[in-house]
Amino acid sequence: MATEFHNLQELRHSASLANKVFIQRDYTDGTICKFQTKFPSELDSRIERTLFEDTVKTLNNYYAEAEKIGGQSYLEGCLACLTVYLIFLCIETRYEKVLKKISRYIQEQNEKIYAPRGLLITDPLERGMRVIEISVYEDRGSSGSSSGSSTTSSSGR
Amino acid sequence: MPVGLSVGGALGDPSPSRPFRPSRYVPVSAATAFLVGSTTLFLCFTCPWLSERISSIIPLYNGVVFLFTLANFCMATFMDPGIFPRAEEDEDKEDDFRAPLYKTVDVRGIQVRMKWCSTCRFYRPPRCSHCSVCDNCVEEFDHHCPWVNNCIGRRNYRYFFLFLFSLTIHIMNVFGFSLLYILHHTKQLDQVNAGVTMAVMCVAGLFFVPVAGLTGFHVVLVARGRTTNEQVTGKFRGGVNPFTHGCLKNIGYVLCSSQAPRYLGRLRKPRSLQVQPPFLRPPLSEAQLAAKVLDNGIQQSKSSLEIMESQSTDADPPPPPKPEHRYPGLPHTQNEECSLLNETPPTPSLYKYRPAYSSPGKNHTASTHSSKMSRGNSMTESPSVPVTTGQPSYLSDPSLSSRGGAGCRGGGEGGRAGSGGLGGASAFGGRSYPSFTDTLLQSAAASCSSSLRSAQTAHNALGPLISEGTTSTSYKSLANQTRNGSLSYESLLTPSESPEFESAAHELSPPRPHPPNSLSTVPGPPHILGYTSPFLSAQQREGSLQACPAPLRPSPNRAFLRPTSSPPSRAPPLSPRARSLGSPPPGPAPGHTPLGKSLSYGGGAELQHRPSTSGGGTPMPNSTFKQNVANHHAHSHKPAGGVKKVTGVGGTTYEISV
């Protein structure tokens, strides 16, 4: 009895990690960094499809921008060669700049969209850019009480 | 910090505690010595005369080229080649533990195989390879270069290529100018300067041939858009390279792309965001509402049995699985109904497929199942059963059966059994999120490493029953013996089954090899059980156990397991027994395979789906299988000496031979 009480009070307003959904890479265009926009079914009841797809598409665009081979990257390369790569100590490469942008974007998405829905996106960089990890949280408030009751019932078995 | 330098593999994350092998440093030391030494001698002894007599530009030019060479050499040596950090334990849970060793992915219209890396715990992205020297998976792995003592991968390939290029130029310069010197000093060859110059010339001349050859080789590779690994293994021999974008673009990619970021050694921002309920929920669509109505009746009756509900504010039962994930006509919870009816049901649809990927309905309802089951079966040590949700739920079994300790051959189970299984599953109040402890994996890894590698690489180790096809068709679980305790059950059934199954559900068939519909034609559930239980996630197995008559159940296993152990290692009385009985037969004992195979293919129909490539090691006619199964049936009815009956959830009885 006391345990139940304790659980209830403690767990009333917290969320526990229930599941993790992994959005895999989309390799149809080669090894460029691109994630699948397919909506995972675990999130079916958690977030609107359009929001999710927007997030992933924006991320894909960011990565495409980072990996773009154009004037800026060429210039960076030349400069690096000329300075015997010491330039890397001073400036941030294009990719790093875009990664910072991505990180800010993910943070913002988490704050605005995902956290209110009990989800959290992890920056794919932490996973070696192999997956986007979405942590799914469940409301622990009621589950606290039910676990208490299960204690009673299981002990009664 | 913009700098991306790090010693490949030396950072803690990817490969902890590699033994210090001084022999690894010999080539790189020699290369450094030759490069720096020879050039210094050249600059000191030859260049003064050259600058006086010919031009002072010469030493400057040589100095610049040498500096460039040295810089590229250092970058190639010290830069992280693109090492993937090890996947965290929770990442591979989404794959069924019997998921195949290979996953096929479509790259620009060409099928490319991604292999499961048992060390790094993920499917290697295309062009990624695991370096055995560095013990890391490297992105766009080219090769491991002993001269720089580093892998060459996506991040440092450019520097390596430029190093080779500039070294060739440098050698040509040094040789050329030294020759010039010698030709002007033919009468003073006894001088020190001349002597040194001649020595330098010899060294330069000696190294020129291999270095130039290698440079030429890499020029061709860059132009063709291939890595050394791909070239040497002949991946695209006679085929199309999906990674090439044309010669110019390939060169552009190598030389002009922005420096790729490193994955290791990054500062992780602490997550400051709090996730607080209540949570917003999207409005349900029409289809979902309709499906919910369908499910409501069944789920309501189970609600009292559920340990936890998904949300406090939401009174609805967990959302149903999408219709396409369900076998048409059979609701997800049918197995529970069957158990209640206590008769042999027609083979439930649940067994006919493995969840290809996590789906919410399966997750939610599965979690309720598993929570229900495990409450009865499992470790009653913690009331909030660490049974997890959905896909992860099957791993609760592993933790259970990992306590059974059979997961890893070679011992060490007992020690980790108690701590690993439960400790690994951190119990939150309601739902627990299981996570393997590193120690669990590492201890298992330590004891299983030999079987791991042998299982993965030397398929011959598994005996003649494993055909050549199994390199492509083995389960990652074979390669990955540390994974989870469900493996213990599988190992009890002997690994020879897995290639069998794998060949039946091949990478050539749908990417997710599920037991095909042919299972419906198999007579009798016990065959399915013996066959499918390793492949089912926990809730399915629980259901199957409930659904099928108990006496028949253990028999398939008993017949070929020595010592026998019970399938329902989930039941608490069983797991200690399983542990005591259950060091599985040492190694993938080929001796067991005939029986094991027959049982795993008790679903004789399974054979129909086995592609011919697997025929090499595993031919067994349907009739033989059915006969063997029939024999086992016969066995099942006579209780062996010392059979203990254990009552599980729902009143089913398990017979375990002691």
Side-chain angles (χ1 to χ4, degrees), chain B residues 363-381:
Chain B
N363 276 356
H364 284 285
T365 50
S367 64
T368 60
H369 284 230
S370 51
S371 57
K372 178 172 86 80
M373 308 296 178
S374 49
R375 188 163 49 110
N377 295 344
S378 74
M379 20 199 181
T380 44
E381 291 147 40

Side-chain angles (χ1 to χ4, degrees), chain B residues 236-309:
Chain B
F236 308 124
R237 195 181 302 149
V240 187
N241 180 1
F243 304 108
T244 182
H245 295 90
C247 183
L248 281 174
K249 281 200 175 157
N250 292 337
I251 296 169
Y253 176 75
V254 169
L255 296 179
C256 303
S257 62
S258 184
Q259 176 63 55
R262 73 177 189 282
Y263 303 129
L264 299 179
R266 289 197 159 258
L267 293 163
R268 270 202 201 183
K269 275 193 306 187
R271 187 165 282 179
S272 54
L273 204 55
Q274 289 290 332
V275 176
Q276 292 275 354
F279 299 138
L280 297 174
R281 296 276 164 163
L284 293 174
S285 66
E286 284 287 320
Q288 285 171 325
L289 282 166
K292 223 203 262 205
V293 167
L294 199 67
D295 272 350
N296 258 349
I298 296 166
Q299 287 176 352
Q300 288 295 345
S301 64
K302 304 289 180 298
S303 58
S304 59
L305 298 174
E306 289 174 11
I307 294 177
M308 49 203 133
E309 292 154 2

Side-chain angles (χ1 to χ4, degrees), chain B residues 18-218:
Chain B
R18 272 180 302 141
F20 176 69
R21 283 196 201 94
S23 61
R24 286 181 60 183
Y25 298 95
V26 169
V28 63
S29 314
T32 316
F34 276 117
L35 178 64
V36 176
S38 310
T39 311
T40 314
L41 290 173
F42 171 78
L43 290 172
C44 294
F45 289 88
T46 318
C47 281
W49 179 85
L50 286 166
S51 66
E52 283 166 28
R53 280 293 294 272
I54 302 176
S55 169
S56 54
I57 295 282
I58 295 174
L60 199 66
Y61 167 68
N62 279 299
V64 165
V65 173
F66 170 64
L67 203 62
F68 189 66
T69 308
L70 201 62
N72 283 303
F73 178 71
C74 291
M75 292 294 265
T77 305
F78 297 114
M79 179 167 267
D80 180 327
I83 295 171
F84 284 112
R86 299 271 196 271
E88 297 191 357
E89 302 105 353
D90 46 36
E91 191 179 326
D92 60 7
K93 275 205 288 274
E94 67 166 359
D95 290 318
D96 191 308
F97 75 99
R98 292 284 274 187
L101 192 56
Y102 290 96
K103 239 194 211 179
T104 333
V105 87
D106 179 35
V107 179
R108 298 169 76 200
I110 292 156
Q111 297 293 308
V112 172
R113 274 193 330 197
M114 302 199 318
K115 190 175 179 185
W116 170 260
C117 184
S118 52
T119 316
C120 304
R121 313 289 288 238
F122 53 75
Y123 284 98
R124 293 180 199 144
R127 306 196 106 177
C128 163
S129 191
H130 191 93
C131 175
S132 50
V133 180
C134 306
D135 197 27
N136 289 314
C137 267
V138 175
E139 191 173 9
E140 289 183 28
F141 179 77
D142 193 83
H143 67 286
H144 180 92
C145 184
W147 304 106
V148 300
N149 191 31
N150 196 14
C151 282
I152 309 298
R154 178 186 178 193
R155 295 186 79 232
N156 63 354
Y157 182 76
R158 169 196 345 211
Y159 308 113
F160 177 75
F161 179 74
L162 288 174
F163 164 64
L164 283 180
F165 199 73
S166 55
L167 185 64
T168 314
I169 308 265
H170 181 58
I171 290 177
M172 289 194 312
N173 290 339
V174 167
F175 188 85
F177 287 116
S178 299
L179 189 65
L180 195 64
Y181 180 93
I182 294 294
L183 289 175
H184 279 87
H185 289 83
T186 44
K187 305 252 168 39
Q188 298 127 33
L189 288 178
D190 53 338
Q191 280 180 2
V192 176
N193 282 20
V196 168
T197 307
M198 282 212 296
V200 167
M201 250 181 76
C202 287
V203 168
L206 204 69
F207 279 103
F208 178 73
V209 175
V211 171
L214 198 58
T215 308
F217 175 67
H218 278 275

Side-chain angles (χ1 to χ4, degrees), chain B residues 532-606:
Chain B
T532 58
S533 39
F535 311 136
L536 297 173
S537 56
Q539 65 276 17
Q540 292 165 344
R541 263 180 268 120
E542 301 291 357
S544 74
L545 287 171
Q546 301 248 325
C548 303
L552 288 174
R553 212 179 318 116
S555 65
N557 305 315
R558 231 193 304 148
F560 65 86
L561 289 175
R562 312 219 191 325
T564 59
S565 111
S566 60
S569 52
R570 299 147 209 95
L574 298 178
S575 41
R577 180 152 299 108
R579 183 174 31 199
S580 62
L581 295 173
S583 347
H592 292 292
T593 50
L595 287 174
K597 253 178 7 126
S598 67
L599 285 161
S600 69
Y601 292 95
E606 193 55 35

Side-chain angles (χ1 to χ4, degrees), chain A residues 11 13-20 22 24 27-31 38 41-42 44-49 66-67 69 73-74 76 81 84-85 88-96 99 103 107 110-111 115-122 125-131 135 137-140 142-143 146-147 150-151 153-154 157, chain B residues 2-3 68 71-72 75 84-85 87-88 90-91 94 105-108 114 122 125-127 140 154 159 162 243 252-253 256-261 263 266 268-269 271-273 275-283 288 307-312 319 322 325 357-360 363-364 375-376 383 389 392 428-431 433:
Chain A
L11 306 172
H13 295 298
S14 51
S16 69
L17 184 63
N19 193 10
K20 284 192 183 184
F22 295 98
Q24 298 292 332
Y27 293 108
T28 49
D29 289 329
T31 48
K38 192 177 76 72
S41 35
E42 295 88 340
D44 207 11
S45 61
R46 303 302 300 256
I47 189 167
E48 289 85 347
R49 183 180 291 256
E67 294 183 350
I69 299 169
S73 59
Y74 179 71
E76 247 175 34
C81 277
V84 192
Y85 307 115
F88 287 138
L89 295 166
C90 308
I91 66 161
E92 221 175 34
T93 66
R94 177 202 180 87
Y95 215 118
E96 291 284 341
L99 285 178
S103 173
Q107 175 78 6
N110 273 337
E111 279 166 14
R117 288 167 173 79
L119 304 169
L120 270 188
I121 300 182
T122 308
L125 193 60
E126 293 178 25
R127 294 280 177 270
M129 308 239 283
R130 291 178 297 106
V131 288
S135 312
Y137 288 86
E138 290 291 355
D139 188 359
R140 239 163 113 197
S142 66
S143 57
S146 47
S147 76
S150 77
T151 313
S153 58
S154 61
R157 275 178 159 257
Chain B
V3 175
F68 189 66
N72 283 303
M75 292 294 265
F84 284 112
E88 297 191 357
D90 46 36
E91 191 179 326
E94 67 166 359
V105 87
D106 179 35
V107 179
R108 298 169 76 200
M114 302 199 318
F122 53 75
R127 306 196 106 177
E140 289 183 28
R154 178 186 178 193
Y159 308 113
L162 288 174
F243 304 108
Y253 176 75
C256 303
S257 62
S258 184
Q259 176 63 55
Y263 303 129
R266 289 197 159 258
R268 270 202 201 183
K269 275 193 306 187
R271 187 165 282 179
S272 54
L273 204 55
V275 176
Q276 292 275 354
F279 299 138
L280 297 174
R281 296 276 164 163
Q288 285 171 325
I307 294 177
M308 49 203 133
E309 292 154 2
S310 41
Q311 301 106 29
S312 57
K322 280 193 171 175
H325 290 299
Y357 37 79
S358 331
S359 62
N363 276 356
H364 284 285
R375 188 163 49 110
T389 60
F428 288 85
R431 225 164 262 252
Y433 187 72

